[in-house]
Amino acid sequence: GMVIRVEGQEPLLQGGTVTVAAYVGNAIRHVMVGLDPEPYRLALQAHADWQPVHCVGELVKTGRAYELKNPRLFRVVEE
């Protein structure tokens, strides 16, 4: 999906949270993903360049919100 929001106090040291617009079922949903510093840096670059990203994890729905737990294999999708 596409990184549509980035958050973090000291993201290059501690990582941060990004929101990705991604397909969940047949609809686009906003999914929160907490990332370590290196994948967070990639997410920042993808956000700036408007490039899609790919990540694997366990999708959890709480109320109306989605979160990807245990994110791994985060990468920018090259076009």
Side-chain angles (χ1 to χ4, degrees):
M2 303 300 288
V3 178
I4 58 171
R5 176 183 290 151
V6 293
E7 304 171 21
Q9 298 262 7
E10 293 192 37
L12 299 180
L13 296 175
Q14 299 174 354
T17 301
V18 300
T19 303
V20 176
Y23 278 101
V24 175
N26 60 354
I28 295 178
R29 305 287 185 205
H30 293 181
V31 180
M32 306 269 294
V33 185
L35 297 171
D36 290 332
E38 181 57 24
Y40 187 81
R41 186 188 65 74
L42 293 174
L44 287 175
Q45 192 62 51
H47 183 255
D49 295 342
W50 199 241
Q51 290 182 285
V53 297
H54 179 267
C55 189
V56 176
E58 291 77 46
L59 187 64
V60 176
K61 183 179 181 187
T62 305
R64 295 179 58 206
Y66 288 90
E67 182 178 359
L68 191 68
K69 299 280 191 177
N70 303 311
R72 53 200 178 276
L73 304 175
F74 188 92
R75 65 181 174 87
V76 176
V77 178
E78 300 298 327
E79 307 217 45

